[in-house]
Amino acid sequence: MELQLALDLVNIPEAIKVVKEVEEYIDIVEIGTPVVINEGLRAVKEMKDAFPNLKVLADLKIMDAAGYEVMKASEAGADIITILGAAEDMSIKGAVEEAKAQGKKILVDMIGIKDIESRAAELDVLGVDYICVHTGYDLQAIGQNSFADLMTIKNVVKNAKTAIAGGIKLDTLPEVVKLKPDLIIVGGGIANQDDKAAAAAKMKQMIQQS
């Protein structure tokens, strides 16, 4: 299991400062969609330049023109690029094809997908690298999480790695770890803590001990 830090509500200098505090405990740093919107793919490039030993995920949430957008994110230094599970199969195929050509990985974000089981099975056949169940901010606000969805996709996915995102914190991490996803994505559970390094270290320890 790998630990990914999602950075959403920061500018580039703030993002680099946060990652400096926790870099020894994380495997992947995510340039979240709000950062990409505010700063552009420059944020991906600057993060990769600052931390060449970390994998960088560009959370573009691609919906169309997938090959082109994967190419541009790859040029900026992204190791993993996200596409939405709701995208057309042709777009998924385009993303996978371009990522393979660039030596990069594709993570499919299942946010908003109603039939998680069927779509995960379809995506698995299309050759994506990760399938991620994701409870967005708006549903987290009413107490929802993706733990049951993770169980669902783990039962059908044969090739892709599984990932989970959305509101994971120290007190809910043990429940997530038990389900053994390949990738655990944490945002505010690290980034919003007073002692970010301590929170990240504890999470990494819990993951490694599972």
Side-chain angles (χ1 to χ4, degrees):
M1 280 183 279
E2 290 187 299
L3 179 60
Q4 176 172 309
L5 171 63
L7 297 171
D8 286 319
L9 304 175
V10 290
N11 57 38
I12 295 171
E14 286 170 348
I16 289 172
K17 181 174 178 288
V18 171
V19 175
K20 272 185 182 156
E21 292 182 52
V22 302
E23 64 175 309
E24 65 185 290
Y25 307 113
I26 63 172
D27 303 291
I28 303 168
V29 57
E30 171 187 329
I31 303 299
T33 315
V35 183
V36 175
I37 288 170
N38 291 333
E39 305 275 7
L41 285 171
R42 184 170 60 93
V44 174
K45 183 178 189 311
E46 293 197 24
M47 186 61 71
K48 192 65 181 178
D49 288 347
F51 303 97
N53 296 325
L54 288 177
K55 285 183 272 190
V56 176
L57 177 142
D59 189 17
L60 302 190
K61 292 189 174 76
I62 292 168
M63 194 67 183
D64 192 19
Y68 176 77
E69 294 186 9
V70 168
M71 178 184 71
K72 299 311 287 185
S74 300
E75 288 173 359
D79 300 287
I80 306 168
I81 301 105
T82 68
I83 187 167
L84 292 174
E88 299 286 356
D89 285 2
M90 281 301 294
S91 297
I92 304 281
K93 287 176 184 173
V96 169
E97 193 175 298
E98 184 62 29
K100 283 198 165 81
Q102 300 279 355
K104 310 297 184 178
K105 305 285 188 191
I106 293 295
L107 180 144
V108 178
D109 188 333
M110 300 291 276
I111 193 167
I113 296 293
K114 301 305 180 199
D115 187 348
I116 292 270
E117 186 173 12
S118 297
R119 190 56 176 151
E122 292 167 355
L123 292 163
D124 197 36
V125 172
L126 291 173
V128 304
D129 300 287
Y130 296 88
I131 299 174
C132 180
V133 292
H134 181 188
T135 301
Y137 282 117
D138 298 334
L139 291 184
Q140 287 176 42
I142 57 170
Q144 292 194 23
N145 65 51
S146 295
F147 302 166
D149 290 340
L150 178 59
M151 290 277 292
T152 298
I153 67 165
K154 281 187 74 73
N155 287 333
V156 297
V157 168
K158 295 179 173 61
N159 304 303
K161 292 181 176 179
T162 58
I164 183 168
I168 298 168
K169 297 181 170 55
L170 266 174
D171 59 344
T172 56
L173 185 60
E175 193 176 347
V176 175
V177 166
K178 273 188 221 162
L179 301 175
K180 297 197 178 301
D182 297 289
L183 177 59
I184 297 172
I185 302 169
V186 178
I190 293 173
N192 295 342
Q193 305 309 304
D194 291 335
D195 190 337
K196 296 170 183 56
K202 182 68 176 165
M203 287 187 170
K204 189 67 175 175
Q205 180 185 28
M206 289 165 73
I207 288 168
Q208 288 174 334
Q209 288 176 343
S210 66

